[in-house]
Amino acid sequence: MRDRIEPLMPADPARGRRWADHRRTLEANAWKLAVRVRPGTVVGLGLTTSAAGCVVMGAVGNGTAFLVTGVTVTAAGVGTVALLATDIVLAAAPPERAGAASAVAETSTELGAALGIASLGTLSTVFLRTGLPSGTPAADTLGDALREARDHGTTAVSAVREAFAQSLQLTLLTAAAVLVATAAASFLALRNIRIGEEHNTEADRLT
């Protein structure tokens, strides 16, 4: 796979050498792991790791430390899957269709991200509206709700903030459940796929 796109990439910079491009280094490590334990296992573990990060943010506790930890863990899992998924698509496509395969993978990534953001955003809004106590002013956004609540006293403001926090927690837990289900589906779908040792030459050079 790498030999198809290597000629199109810039030469390694003098400074930093093999560690100058972090993405290529991470990609190489993901490939080495996938060669040893199967791609389905790596993808499943990555998605499960992201689910764990969502649980940390949504259920374990509040505060900056939990937020930073949860975001870091979630990004690590998603990053592993993102780095490996495109390469799996390119490796499965014949050389003459590598460009089309890359375009499909990129389009799928963008479409999935847009649908995920829209779905979770809508879900969070629904949780927020249903979580507001009776008598609390309704609004389309958190900012509007807080502006309306300030006219009704500090109790209404606290209720809006609490409802918003609960809506985020429920949304994150829902996302975690979806990630776990996707991890299981990915593991089963990719369980019989192996990456050949020939793909590991570039990974050994980078790491």
Side-chain angles (χ1 to χ4, degrees), residues 152-188:
H152 294 75
T154 57
T155 302
V157 172
S158 298
V160 170
R161 290 176 174 171
E162 182 65 23
F164 176 70
Q166 291 180 354
S167 70
L168 284 183
Q169 291 176 338
L170 290 174
T171 302
L172 287 168
L173 293 179
T174 302
V178 172
L179 285 169
V180 170
T182 306
S186 300
F187 177 79
L188 293 175

mmCIF file of all heavy atoms in Angstrom, residues 152-188:
data_model
loop_
_atom_site.group_PDB
_atom_site.id
_atom_site.type_symbol
_atom_site.label_atom_id
_atom_site.label_comp_id
_atom_site.label_asym_id
_atom_site.label_seq_id
_atom_site.Cartn_x
_atom_site.Cartn_y
_atom_site.Cartn_z
ATOM 1 N N HIS A 152 -35.963 34.989 35.698
ATOM 2 C CA HIS A 152 -36.791 34.258 36.655
ATOM 3 C C HIS A 152 -36.023 33.897 37.919
ATOM 4 O O HIS A 152 -36.499 33.089 38.724
ATOM 5 C CB HIS A 152 -37.336 32.978 36.011
ATOM 6 C CG HIS A 152 -38.288 33.242 34.882
ATOM 7 N ND1 HIS A 152 -37.870 33.659 33.637
ATOM 8 C CD2 HIS A 152 -39.659 33.159 34.813
ATOM 9 C CE1 HIS A 152 -38.912 33.808 32.844
ATOM 10 N NE2 HIS A 152 -40.006 33.511 33.531
ATOM 11 N N GLY A 153 -34.811 34.445 38.070
ATOM 12 C CA GLY A 153 -34.075 34.222 39.304
ATOM 13 C C GLY A 153 -32.995 33.161 39.192
ATOM 14 O O GLY A 153 -32.869 32.462 38.178
ATOM 15 N N THR A 154 -32.207 33.066 40.261
ATOM 16 C CA THR A 154 -31.069 32.144 40.270
ATOM 17 C C THR A 154 -31.492 30.682 40.249
ATOM 18 O O THR A 154 -30.766 29.824 39.749
ATOM 19 C CB THR A 154 -30.200 32.403 41.508
ATOM 20 O OG1 THR A 154 -31.013 32.262 42.696
ATOM 21 C CG2 THR A 154 -29.609 33.801 41.469
ATOM 22 N N THR A 155 -32.650 30.378 40.785
ATOM 23 C CA THR A 155 -33.117 28.984 40.786
ATOM 24 C C THR A 155 -33.335 28.478 39.364
ATOM 25 O O THR A 155 -32.963 27.340 39.033
ATOM 26 C CB THR A 155 -34.430 28.852 41.583
ATOM 27 O OG1 THR A 155 -34.215 29.304 42.923
ATOM 28 C CG2 THR A 155 -34.888 27.405 41.612
ATOM 29 N N ALA A 156 -33.913 29.311 38.525
ATOM 30 C CA ALA A 156 -34.139 28.922 37.130
ATOM 31 C C ALA A 156 -32.822 28.765 36.387
ATOM 32 O O ALA A 156 -32.653 27.841 35.577
ATOM 33 C CB ALA A 156 -35.018 29.959 36.434
ATOM 34 N N VAL A 157 -31.857 29.647 36.668
ATOM 35 C CA VAL A 157 -30.538 29.547 36.032
ATOM 36 C C VAL A 157 -29.863 28.238 36.426
ATOM 37 O O VAL A 157 -29.290 27.532 35.582
ATOM 38 C CB VAL A 157 -29.652 30.748 36.418
ATOM 39 C CG1 VAL A 157 -28.221 30.545 35.908
ATOM 40 C CG2 VAL A 157 -30.238 32.040 35.867
ATOM 41 N N SER A 158 -29.918 27.894 37.714
ATOM 42 C CA SER A 158 -29.317 26.644 38.181
ATOM 43 C C SER A 158 -29.988 25.434 37.544
ATOM 44 O O SER A 158 -29.329 24.452 37.190
ATOM 45 C CB SER A 158 -29.416 26.552 39.702
ATOM 46 O OG SER A 158 -28.710 27.602 40.325
ATOM 47 N N ALA A 159 -31.312 25.520 37.361
ATOM 48 C CA ALA A 159 -32.036 24.407 36.747
ATOM 49 C C ALA A 159 -31.612 24.207 35.297
ATOM 50 O O ALA A 159 -31.461 23.069 34.834
ATOM 51 C CB ALA A 159 -33.541 24.665 36.837
ATOM 52 N N VAL A 160 -31.412 25.305 34.566
ATOM 53 C CA VAL A 160 -30.982 25.211 33.173
ATOM 54 C C VAL A 160 -29.587 24.609 33.092
ATOM 55 O O VAL A 160 -29.313 23.734 32.259
ATOM 56 C CB VAL A 160 -31.016 26.596 32.504
ATOM 57 C CG1 VAL A 160 -30.334 26.553 31.129
ATOM 58 C CG2 VAL A 160 -32.446 27.080 32.357
ATOM 59 N N ARG A 161 -28.681 25.069 33.943
ATOM 60 C CA ARG A 161 -27.329 24.538 33.930
ATOM 61 C C ARG A 161 -27.299 23.059 34.290
ATOM 62 O O ARG A 161 -26.559 22.270 33.692
ATOM 63 C CB ARG A 161 -26.453 25.342 34.885
ATOM 64 C CG ARG A 161 -26.162 26.751 34.386
ATOM 65 C CD ARG A 161 -25.379 27.561 35.409
ATOM 66 N NE ARG A 161 -24.996 28.860 34.863
ATOM 67 C CZ ARG A 161 -24.453 29.834 35.584
ATOM 68 N NH1 ARG A 161 -24.238 29.657 36.893
ATOM 69 N NH2 ARG A 161 -24.130 30.981 35.007
ATOM 70 N N GLU A 162 -28.091 22.671 35.248
ATOM 71 C CA GLU A 162 -28.153 21.260 35.640
ATOM 72 C C GLU A 162 -28.717 20.413 34.510
ATOM 73 O O GLU A 162 -28.223 19.307 34.238
ATOM 74 C CB GLU A 162 -29.017 21.117 36.893
ATOM 75 C CG GLU A 162 -29.123 19.699 37.418
ATOM 76 C CD GLU A 162 -27.802 19.140 37.912
ATOM 77 O OE1 GLU A 162 -26.906 19.942 38.265
ATOM 78 O OE2 GLU A 162 -27.668 17.894 37.952
ATOM 79 N N ALA A 163 -29.737 20.920 33.853
ATOM 80 C CA ALA A 163 -30.318 20.183 32.729
ATOM 81 C C ALA A 163 -29.315 20.043 31.591
ATOM 82 O O ALA A 163 -29.243 18.987 30.943
ATOM 83 C CB ALA A 163 -31.583 20.889 32.242
ATOM 84 N N PHE A 164 -28.537 21.098 31.361
ATOM 85 C CA PHE A 164 -27.530 21.035 30.302
ATOM 86 C C PHE A 164 -26.461 20.005 30.639
ATOM 87 O O PHE A 164 -26.047 19.215 29.779
ATOM 88 C CB PHE A 164 -26.900 22.410 30.110
ATOM 89 C CG PHE A 164 -25.789 22.432 29.103
ATOM 90 C CD1 PHE A 164 -26.051 22.278 27.750
ATOM 91 C CD2 PHE A 164 -24.464 22.593 29.510
ATOM 92 C CE1 PHE A 164 -25.028 22.285 26.816
ATOM 93 C CE2 PHE A 164 -23.446 22.603 28.588
ATOM 94 C CZ PHE A 164 -23.719 22.450 27.238
ATOM 95 N N ALA A 165 -25.989 20.003 31.891
ATOM 96 C CA ALA A 165 -24.973 19.034 32.296
ATOM 97 C C ALA A 165 -25.497 17.601 32.153
ATOM 98 O O ALA A 165 -24.783 16.706 31.661
ATOM 99 C CB ALA A 165 -24.532 19.304 33.731
ATOM 100 N N GLN A 166 -26.727 17.378 32.555
ATOM 101 C CA GLN A 166 -27.313 16.048 32.443
ATOM 102 C C GLN A 166 -27.495 15.633 30.984
ATOM 103 O O GLN A 166 -27.294 14.460 30.635
ATOM 104 C CB GLN A 166 -28.654 15.997 33.179
ATOM 105 C CG GLN A 166 -28.529 16.083 34.694
ATOM 106 C CD GLN A 166 -29.860 16.029 35.391
ATOM 107 O OE1 GLN A 166 -30.923 16.045 34.746
ATOM 108 N NE2 GLN A 166 -29.847 15.957 36.711
ATOM 109 N N SER A 167 -27.849 16.601 30.132
ATOM 110 C CA SER A 167 -28.018 16.272 28.712
ATOM 111 C C SER A 167 -26.691 15.857 28.092
ATOM 112 O O SER A 167 -26.639 14.914 27.281
ATOM 113 C CB SER A 167 -28.611 17.470 27.961
ATOM 114 O OG SER A 167 -27.677 18.535 27.846
ATOM 115 N N LEU A 168 -25.610 16.530 28.469
ATOM 116 C CA LEU A 168 -24.303 16.143 27.955
ATOM 117 C C LEU A 168 -23.901 14.765 28.458
ATOM 118 O O LEU A 168 -23.337 13.946 27.711
ATOM 119 C CB LEU A 168 -23.255 17.179 28.361
ATOM 120 C CG LEU A 168 -23.255 18.497 27.592
ATOM 121 C CD1 LEU A 168 -22.099 19.387 28.076
ATOM 122 C CD2 LEU A 168 -23.132 18.264 26.093
ATOM 123 N N GLN A 169 -24.148 14.493 29.718
ATOM 124 C CA GLN A 169 -23.807 13.193 30.270
ATOM 125 C C GLN A 169 -24.571 12.071 29.573
ATOM 126 O O GLN A 169 -23.998 11.039 29.210
ATOM 127 C CB GLN A 169 -24.079 13.174 31.775
ATOM 128 C CG GLN A 169 -23.127 14.047 32.576
ATOM 129 C CD GLN A 169 -23.483 14.093 34.041
ATOM 130 O OE1 GLN A 169 -24.633 13.820 34.421
ATOM 131 N NE2 GLN A 169 -22.531 14.437 34.892
ATOM 132 N N LEU A 170 -25.862 12.272 29.364
ATOM 133 C CA LEU A 170 -26.663 11.250 28.684
ATOM 134 C C LEU A 170 -26.211 11.068 27.237
ATOM 135 O O LEU A 170 -26.174 9.942 26.722
ATOM 136 C CB LEU A 170 -28.144 11.642 28.728
ATOM 137 C CG LEU A 170 -28.813 11.569 30.097
ATOM 138 C CD1 LEU A 170 -30.227 12.131 30.029
ATOM 139 C CD2 LEU A 170 -28.838 10.136 30.611
ATOM 140 N N THR A 171 -25.856 12.172 26.581
ATOM 141 C CA THR A 171 -25.380 12.089 25.204
ATOM 142 C C THR A 171 -24.065 11.320 25.123
ATOM 143 O O THR A 171 -23.862 10.477 24.235
ATOM 144 C CB THR A 171 -25.207 13.487 24.607
ATOM 145 O OG1 THR A 171 -26.449 14.190 24.663
ATOM 146 C CG2 THR A 171 -24.744 13.420 23.161
ATOM 147 N N LEU A 172 -23.152 11.597 26.048
ATOM 148 C CA LEU A 172 -21.872 10.900 26.064
ATOM 149 C C LEU A 172 -22.042 9.410 26.347
ATOM 150 O O LEU A 172 -21.373 8.571 25.744
ATOM 151 C CB LEU A 172 -20.949 11.536 27.105
ATOM 152 C CG LEU A 172 -20.374 12.900 26.730
ATOM 153 C CD1 LEU A 172 -19.729 13.565 27.936
ATOM 154 C CD2 LEU A 172 -19.359 12.764 25.599
ATOM 155 N N LEU A 173 -22.940 9.067 27.250
ATOM 156 C CA LEU A 173 -23.186 7.657 27.536
ATOM 157 C C LEU A 173 -23.834 6.959 26.341
ATOM 158 O O LEU A 173 -23.535 5.792 26.055
ATOM 159 C CB LEU A 173 -24.064 7.531 28.779
ATOM 160 C CG LEU A 173 -23.420 7.982 30.094
ATOM 161 C CD1 LEU A 173 -24.402 7.842 31.245
ATOM 162 C CD2 LEU A 173 -22.144 7.191 30.377
ATOM 163 N N THR A 174 -24.701 7.682 25.642
ATOM 164 C CA THR A 174 -25.282 7.122 24.417
ATOM 165 C C THR A 174 -24.205 6.887 23.365
ATOM 166 O O THR A 174 -24.181 5.844 22.693
ATOM 167 C CB THR A 174 -26.363 8.063 23.863
ATOM 168 O OG1 THR A 174 -27.372 8.265 24.846
ATOM 169 C CG2 THR A 174 -26.989 7.487 22.605
ATOM 170 N N ALA A 175 -23.312 7.868 23.213
ATOM 171 C CA ALA A 175 -22.203 7.714 22.271
ATOM 172 C C ALA A 175 -21.325 6.527 22.654
ATOM 173 O O ALA A 175 -20.853 5.777 21.779
ATOM 174 C CB ALA A 175 -21.377 8.994 22.233
ATOM 175 N N ALA A 176 -21.091 6.337 23.948
ATOM 176 C CA ALA A 176 -20.285 5.203 24.404
ATOM 177 C C ALA A 176 -20.947 3.880 24.025
ATOM 178 O O ALA A 176 -20.281 2.939 23.565
ATOM 179 C CB ALA A 176 -20.073 5.283 25.913
ATOM 180 N N ALA A 177 -22.264 3.803 24.199
ATOM 181 C CA ALA A 177 -22.982 2.580 23.838
ATOM 182 C C ALA A 177 -22.891 2.307 22.340
ATOM 183 O O ALA A 177 -22.689 1.162 21.902
ATOM 184 C CB ALA A 177 -24.447 2.687 24.273
ATOM 185 N N VAL A 178 -23.018 3.366 21.524
ATOM 186 C CA VAL A 178 -22.911 3.210 20.072
ATOM 187 C C VAL A 178 -21.500 2.757 19.690
ATOM 188 O O VAL A 178 -21.315 1.888 18.816
ATOM 189 C CB VAL A 178 -23.272 4.528 19.369
ATOM 190 C CG1 VAL A 178 -22.973 4.444 17.864
ATOM 191 C CG2 VAL A 178 -24.734 4.871 19.594
ATOM 192 N N LEU A 179 -20.494 3.316 20.341
ATOM 193 C CA LEU A 179 -19.114 2.931 20.050
ATOM 194 C C LEU A 179 -18.849 1.474 20.406
ATOM 195 O O LEU A 179 -18.151 0.759 19.668
ATOM 196 C CB LEU A 179 -18.151 3.843 20.811
ATOM 197 C CG LEU A 179 -17.993 5.262 20.254
ATOM 198 C CD1 LEU A 179 -17.241 6.148 21.243
ATOM 199 C CD2 LEU A 179 -17.269 5.240 18.912
ATOM 200 N N VAL A 180 -19.391 1.024 21.529
ATOM 201 C CA VAL A 180 -19.205 -0.378 21.914
ATOM 202 C C VAL A 180 -19.872 -1.300 20.894
ATOM 203 O O VAL A 180 -19.289 -2.322 20.488
ATOM 204 C CB VAL A 180 -19.768 -0.624 23.327
ATOM 205 C CG1 VAL A 180 -19.804 -2.121 23.638
ATOM 206 C CG2 VAL A 180 -18.922 0.091 24.374
ATOM 207 N N ALA A 181 -21.087 -0.947 20.463
ATOM 208 C CA ALA A 181 -21.779 -1.757 19.463
ATOM 209 C C ALA A 181 -21.009 -1.770 18.138
ATOM 210 O O ALA A 181 -20.881 -2.815 17.486
ATOM 211 C CB ALA A 181 -23.196 -1.218 19.250
ATOM 212 N N THR A 182 -20.478 -0.607 17.760
ATOM 213 C CA THR A 182 -19.696 -0.522 16.526
ATOM 214 C C THR A 182 -18.398 -1.317 16.646
ATOM 215 O O THR A 182 -17.953 -1.944 15.680
ATOM 216 C CB THR A 182 -19.381 0.943 16.194
ATOM 217 O OG1 THR A 182 -20.597 1.690 16.157
ATOM 218 C CG2 THR A 182 -18.685 1.057 14.849
ATOM 219 N N ALA A 183 -17.791 -1.288 17.820
ATOM 220 C CA ALA A 183 -16.567 -2.068 18.034
ATOM 221 C C ALA A 183 -16.834 -3.554 17.855
ATOM 222 O O ALA A 183 -16.058 -4.270 17.202
ATOM 223 C CB ALA A 183 -16.014 -1.790 19.432
ATOM 224 N N ALA A 184 -17.946 -4.035 18.418
ATOM 225 C CA ALA A 184 -18.285 -5.453 18.265
ATOM 226 C C ALA A 184 -18.564 -5.804 16.809
ATOM 227 O O ALA A 184 -18.103 -6.833 16.300
ATOM 228 C CB ALA A 184 -19.501 -5.782 19.139
ATOM 229 N N ALA A 185 -19.305 -4.924 16.116
ATOM 230 C CA ALA A 185 -19.608 -5.176 14.705
ATOM 231 C C ALA A 185 -18.341 -5.165 13.857
ATOM 232 O O ALA A 185 -18.174 -6.003 12.957
ATOM 233 C CB ALA A 185 -20.599 -4.128 14.204
ATOM 234 N N SER A 186 -17.430 -4.232 14.140
ATOM 235 C CA SER A 186 -16.178 -4.156 13.382
ATOM 236 C C SER A 186 -15.318 -5.385 13.621
ATOM 237 O O SER A 186 -14.703 -5.923 12.696
ATOM 238 C CB SER A 186 -15.409 -2.896 13.783
ATOM 239 O OG SER A 186 -16.164 -1.742 13.511
ATOM 240 N N PHE A 187 -15.267 -5.816 14.867
ATOM 241 C CA PHE A 187 -14.478 -7.011 15.187
ATOM 242 C C PHE A 187 -14.999 -8.225 14.436
ATOM 243 O O PHE A 187 -14.224 -9.011 13.869
ATOM 244 C CB PHE A 187 -14.501 -7.264 16.694
ATOM 245 C CG PHE A 187 -13.782 -8.512 17.107
ATOM 246 C CD1 PHE A 187 -12.391 -8.523 17.202
ATOM 247 C CD2 PHE A 187 -14.474 -9.669 17.402
ATOM 248 C CE1 PHE A 187 -11.723 -9.675 17.570
ATOM 249 C CE2 PHE A 187 -13.812 -10.823 17.765
ATOM 250 C CZ PHE A 187 -12.429 -10.832 17.860
ATOM 251 N N LEU A 188 -16.321 -8.391 14.401
ATOM 252 C CA LEU A 188 -16.899 -9.532 13.704
ATOM 253 C C LEU A 188 -16.715 -9.413 12.188
ATOM 254 O O LEU A 188 -16.430 -10.400 11.507
ATOM 255 C CB LEU A 188 -18.388 -9.653 14.048
ATOM 256 C CG LEU A 188 -18.711 -10.018 15.501
ATOM 257 C CD1 LEU A 188 -20.214 -9.992 15.735
ATOM 258 C CD2 LEU A 188 -18.129 -11.378 15.857
#
